[in-house]
Amino acid sequence: MKKTIVSVTAAVFAFSISAALAFENDQGYVTEVEGNVTFADPGSSDFRPLKAGKYLDMGSTIRTGADGTAIISLIRGSAVNLQPDTELVLTSLVPETDVTAPQVLVNLRSGTMSALIDRDLENRPDFRIETPQGTAAARGTFYAVSSRDGVTYAAVKEGQVAVTQH
């Protein structure tokens, strides 16, 4: 978990600048990929290798292999880190406006991911991770969610996370 925290923390600052266009275009931005990681465009079952620097549309599915990890930025001041053997769908992204906070919803079909959301953002996002068993929501924290064999686990590094069951 320590490597995950360092990687995700570094990524938050790195892509705050480099992914500025993604935040305006309702897309995720891939900042780092290691090992076997593939993605499919929305509505497609054709999985292709994922590379750093790729913009992902909402509805895209990302899969990490047994040796794969990926860090993806969805909104300014946030990062998600996908661990090996994980499948995630980028479900919804509503960017920040003058009157609303940003909203993110991802669907963790299986595997483990962590999310870091900058607590110092003026307009804290509504950031939710949905699993088959429930939803974990945060607004400025570092937390991890794992969904394996019909069971979901959530761990909070700092801040608070609300967990609801389906």
Side-chain angles (χ1 to χ4, degrees), residues 53-70:
K54 169 86 175 137
Y55 287 94
L56 296 168
D57 293 325
M58 290 302 105
S60 295
T61 302
I62 301 104
R63 288 182 182 164
T64 59
D67 67 341
T69 62

Side-chain angles (χ1 to χ4, degrees), residues 25-158:
N25 295 326
D26 304 344
Q27 295 176 309
Y29 180 76
V30 181
T31 61
E32 184 178 317
V33 173
E34 291 185 20
N36 181 24
V37 181
T38 58
F39 79 100
D41 289 320
S44 173
S45 59
D46 178 28
F47 281 82
R48 301 181 311 269
L50 183 62
K51 306 283 186 208
K54 169 86 175 137
Y55 287 94
L56 296 168
D57 293 325
M58 290 302 105
S60 295
T61 302
I62 301 104
R63 288 182 182 164
T64 59
D67 67 341
T69 62
I71 298 175
I72 302 168
S73 171
L74 297 171
I75 55 173
R76 181 177 46 84
S78 77
V80 296
N81 186 332
L82 307 182
Q83 295 300 299
D85 295 320
T86 295
E87 183 172 333
L88 179 79
V89 177
L90 304 180
T91 306
S92 173
L93 170 62
V94 178
E96 180 177 6
T97 68
D98 291 338
V99 293
T100 62
Q103 299 173 9
V104 175
L105 175 62
V106 296
N107 184 310
L108 179 63
R109 290 184 174 168
S110 65
T112 301
M113 65 172 286
S114 56
L116 176 65
I117 300 102
D118 186 350
R119 297 169 22 136
D120 296 328
L121 290 173
E122 185 175 322
N123 219 358
R124 286 193 182 165
D126 178 6
F127 198 105
R128 293 176 286 144
I129 301 171
E130 185 176 59
T131 72
Q133 295 76 35
T135 302
R139 288 161 185 81
T141 189
F142 177 72
Y143 69 117
V145 176
S146 183
S147 179
R148 299 256 185 228
D149 302 321
V151 179
T152 295
Y153 301 92
V156 181
K157 173 71 174 159
E158 63 181 60

